[in-house]
Amino acid sequence: MPASALVARAPDRPLVIYDGECGFCRLWIARWMQRTGDRVRYETSQAVGALYPEIPPSSFAKSVQLVLPDGRTFSGAEAVARLLALPAESGVFLRAYRSVPGAAQLAELAYRMVADHRSAAAAATRALWGRRVLRPTYFAASALFLRLLGVAYLAAFASLWVQVDALVGARGILPVARFLDWVRGQTGWERYWLEPTLCWLGSSDAALHALCAGGVAASMLLIVGWVPFAAGALAWLLYLSLAVAGQTFLEFQWDMLLLETGLLALFLASPGRHRMRGGLAAPALSLFLLRWLLIRLMLSSGVVKLASGDPTWRHLTALRYHYATQPLPPWTAWFVHQGPPAFQTASCLFLFFVELAVPVLLFAPRRLRLFACGMTILLQALIAATGNYAFFNLLAISLAVLCIDDESFPRRWREAAARTASAGKTWPRWILAPVAGVLIAASAVPLAAAVGAGARIPGPMIGLYRLLAPFRSANGYGLFAVMTTSRPEIIIEGSSDGSQWRPYEFRWKPGDPFRRPRFVAPHQPRLDWQMWFAALGGYEENPWLIAFLRRLLVGSPDVRGLLANDPFPHDPPRYVRALVYDYRFTTRAERSSTGAWWRRELRGLYCPVLGSEGAGPVR
């Protein structure tokens, strides 16, 4: 029937007439009814078809019919496009149907193919969506996500609190006051944008403790669901302040991920909401931003491994080295390292499948989306079971949780979410849309660079990315782009006479070959981590390590507190040195005979021997 035809009996509101005997039609009509509510009336052709003699009975059997209050009628793909664009008739699909060359023809062809094979289409719909194709809601997932984010914040703040004095305090390795004085001497008022931190108001040890304490309090408020927006905003501001103050010790990818996740999470928590009980009124755009973050995190992690050209990733042998050469391996890593080559190759294939193929399914129909969510959580659980990556795995899992719709949660959770959803307030679209546009444009820059499309990035997008970079909330990701195939390990020793040397033992990083590797996550011993990075380069590239050695020479109690033992408990050593060893996991036979977890071989000095003031030459 031509779209310009009119019916004599025009309805009082838009009317959709469909074949009530078509199972495929009934599935999708239910979703359209959910979307349009009372604005549109739905009737079967068997019930009302006779009231519209202008529409041939054969047309009802071929396609859905849309009758508007002005009497105009539309059928097929155009009817669907107009229905989804109501009430303003300005939807994306309708604009494409009208304006894009060939779009109307392709849409009608696709519609006709589905209409001619309705049974197969219904079966495919049930396979991809399940028994129903209602538009999913994520109220319960949003509330759970914010609580998991609170746990991640709590782990980050509490972990940093116990070591902040030693890292950046007045007697620490890199005092923040000294750093800010240097920035103040190099810049003008722009320093507050380039280095955004509350430490500009005060950088004493007490101020650092106040920032950590405030972060712990804000984290706990998020966990229990009180004032989620205020708590989330405060946690983000405080952690940004500490990340800037922490300098090289807080430049890990999960620090960036926590800040970016925390900023985007604010759009799930309306400023007008004071208590989370069962759910939140989560705008679709907010959920999109967080899911987009998860996709960038996973996809970038896979792409950088292949783009780096590293032969171990390309030949699927990287995991034969990873468990022994990762920064802080737990005891489980020793056992997995003993696995046969075929197991390590299969693990590499699984890793690439989850990082490269699975992310595209996060926007797929329900069952594929839930599969992608499950695979992402499984990968993160396996990484957490064989490594110590602070709160990174918890953050990634919390992002994946947002892909679980309310229908997947227990009934009582769904009911609680439904009861509170109507009371929730969402961010106005006039605020959320432009902010989302800016964040998507900025975050696309590092992603494009990771996939090798950096030269095609428009200049304004690069400028926007650089403008927002100081706030660490639109980042690039990708761990272990190049696999380390050996494990150089720095061992620090001190001496009172330059002849007899005694080792300092760290709490978590490998040292004594007979000490069993331990789990430490979600706590992150940041000095131990930095020692791993330092061993991969030279001391010239790691001036913080020289500062660390000088703190040992003066016997700084804060810095010594980061170590498992102090071989000079009464007077600091007159000399310190850093040696480099090659560490390797023992084999099953070696461990059975010796009890050692590691075997090591001395390579030599890492840096020149340092002496305290007045110390003579080393003998």
Side-chain angles (χ1 to χ4, degrees):
M1 178 180 171
S4 58
L6 300 175
V7 296
R9 189 168 181 165
D12 59 345
R13 53 184 165 153
L15 170 66
V16 173
I17 306 175
Y18 64 98
D19 184 357
E21 297 177 355
C22 170
F24 177 77
C25 300
R26 291 196 300 270
L27 283 172
W28 287 98
I29 287 294
R31 178 157 181 157
W32 297 345
M33 291 175 67
Q34 180 192 36
R35 176 167 180 160
T36 60
D38 294 336
R39 298 193 307 270
V40 178
R41 181 176 148 214
Y42 296 85
E43 298 287 355
T44 65
S45 58
Q46 289 80 4
V48 302
L51 301 178
Y52 299 95
E54 299 89 348
I55 306 176
S58 59
S59 296
F60 291 125
K62 291 180 180 179
S63 63
V64 67
Q65 306 292 319
L66 173 65
V67 184
L68 298 179
D70 60 8
R72 291 182 299 157
T73 62
F74 302 90
S75 63
E78 184 176 10
V80 176
R82 288 181 174 274
L83 170 66
L84 298 179
L86 291 174
E89 296 192 3
S90 60
V92 174
F93 296 111
L94 181 57
R95 289 199 297 269
Y97 187 95
R98 289 171 169 173
S99 307
V100 178
Q105 292 79 2
L106 287 175
E108 295 297 346
L109 176 63
Y111 187 96
R112 180 52 49 205
M113 291 178 62
V114 171
D116 291 343
H117 303 86
R118 295 182 184 184
S119 297
T125 298
R126 292 190 178 93
L128 294 174
W129 275 272
R131 292 175 299 174
R132 300 190 297 173
V133 293
L134 296 179
R135 190 174 184 179
T137 56
Y138 299 91
F139 303 122
S142 299
L144 177 59
F145 161 76
L146 285 178
R147 287 176 166 86
L148 291 176
L149 176 61
V151 175
Y153 265 131
L154 179 61
F157 281 112
S159 171
L160 182 59
W161 197 354
V162 298
Q163 49 189 324
V164 69
D165 287 344
L167 297 178
V168 296
R171 297 181 296 179
I173 299 170
L174 297 176
V176 63
R178 187 182 305 166
F179 167 67
L180 294 180
D181 285 342
W182 178 85
V183 173
R184 188 180 289 111
Q186 302 296 316
T187 61
W189 288 102
E190 69 273 15
R191 60 178 174 267
Y192 301 117
W193 183 276
L194 296 175
E195 302 293 347
T197 175
L198 294 176
C199 288
W200 290 113
L201 303 176
S203 56
S204 64
D205 289 359
L208 293 172
H209 282 263
L211 293 177
C212 292
V216 167
S219 304
M220 295 181 70
L221 287 175
L222 263 182
I223 293 172
V224 300
W226 285 96
V227 288
F229 175 80
L234 179 61
W236 180 84
L237 176 61
L238 295 177
Y239 201 74
L240 175 63
S241 297
L242 288 166
V244 172
Q247 304 160 74
T248 190
F249 293 110
L250 272 89
E251 292 180 347
F252 294 93
Q253 290 199 32
W254 38 88
D255 293 318
M256 311 299 181
L257 181 62
L258 179 58
L259 285 169
E260 186 166 0
T261 304
L263 178 64
L264 298 180
L266 297 181
F267 297 108
L268 285 184
S270 170
R273 196 67 181 271
H274 301 294
R275 181 76 170 101
M276 283 192 305
R277 297 188 183 276
L280 293 169
L285 192 51
S286 301
L287 293 171
F288 172 85
L289 288 172
L290 287 158
R291 205 173 293 178
W292 167 241
L293 171 57
L294 178 59
I295 290 175
R296 287 190 290 115
L297 172 66
M298 299 302 295
L299 194 60
S300 296
S301 297
V303 168
V304 297
K305 294 178 176 63
L306 296 179
S308 69
D310 181 66
T312 64
W313 286 117
R314 295 200 171 188
H315 299 156
L316 303 178
T317 59
L319 295 187
R320 300 180 190 182
Y321 308 98
H322 166 72
Y323 300 106
T325 62
Q326 63 180 314
L328 300 179
W331 59 268
T332 53
W334 184 92
F335 288 96
V336 181
H337 178 75
Q338 312 301 323
F343 168 76
Q344 310 295 6
T345 299
S347 298
C348 263
L349 286 171
F350 173 74
L351 176 67
F352 277 126
F353 170 69
V354 177
E355 290 186 341
L356 295 175
V358 164
V360 301
L361 301 179
L362 293 172
F363 286 119
R366 180 174 185 268
R367 286 186 170 175
L368 291 178
R369 172 171 38 80
L370 292 177
F371 170 77
C373 172
M375 287 294 99
T376 302
I377 292 175
L378 174 61
L379 176 62
Q380 296 303 322
L382 292 173
I383 294 174
T386 57
N388 283 301
Y389 295 96
F391 44 86
F392 168 73
N393 305 113
L394 176 60
L395 268 178
I397 289 173
S398 69
L399 288 168
V401 162
L402 286 172
C403 297
I404 306 175
D405 57 76
D406 289 332
E407 287 294 316
S408 304
F409 283 92
R411 182 177 178 179
R412 63 186 184 88
W413 288 29
R414 297 200 305 267
E415 291 176 348
R419 284 195 301 270
T420 57
S422 59
K425 297 179 180 180
T426 63
W427 282 85
R429 193 169 184 84
W430 63 270
I431 293 179
L432 187 54
V435 171
V438 168
L439 293 175
I440 291 172
S443 63
V445 172
L447 178 62
V451 301
R456 302 187 184 93
I457 304 174
M461 288 179 61
I462 296 176
L464 180 63
Y465 170 71
R466 291 174 177 170
L467 182 67
L468 298 179
F471 296 90
R472 310 182 187 201
S473 297
N475 309 299
Y477 301 98
L479 295 170
F480 297 107
V482 176
M483 179 55 61
T484 51
T485 57
S486 63
R487 185 184 191 93
E489 197 69 58
I490 299 174
I491 302 298
I492 306 297
E493 295 181 337
S495 174
S496 295
D497 57 10
S499 177
Q500 300 295 320
W501 295 89
R502 286 179 281 177
Y504 288 88
E505 191 73 18
F506 286 73
R507 294 182 184 275
W508 306 103
K509 86 175 190 68
D512 179 1
F514 292 90
R515 188 182 68 181
R516 187 179 82 161
R518 294 183 293 167
F519 279 100
V520 62
H523 172 59
Q524 183 183 1
R526 293 179 181 268
L527 177 61
D528 297 58
W529 262 86
Q530 287 298 145
M531 293 295 291
W532 181 83
F533 282 105
L536 299 179
Y539 73 92
E540 301 90 348
E541 306 160 22
N542 296 279
W544 67 267
L545 189 136
I546 303 301
F548 165 55
L549 295 179
R550 295 197 182 280
R551 287 298 182 186
L552 293 180
L553 284 173
V554 299
S556 169
D558 294 330
V559 175
R560 289 160 54 198
L562 293 177
L563 304 173
N565 79 308
D566 183 0
F568 303 92
H570 304 297
D571 296 306
R574 299 181 69 195
Y575 306 94
V576 290
R577 69 181 183 182
L579 303 176
V580 180
Y581 285 81
D582 269 326
Y583 271 63
R584 298 180 183 274
F585 270 147
T586 55
T587 63
R588 291 182 182 275
E590 289 171 331
R591 182 163 178 269
S592 177
S593 61
T594 67
W597 294 84
W598 300 95
R599 52 191 172 96
R600 68 182 187 179
E601 180 180 347
L602 179 63
R603 284 171 48 178
L605 277 174
Y606 177 79
C607 67
V609 177
L610 299 183
S612 59
E613 186 176 351
V618 178
R619 295 192 294 273

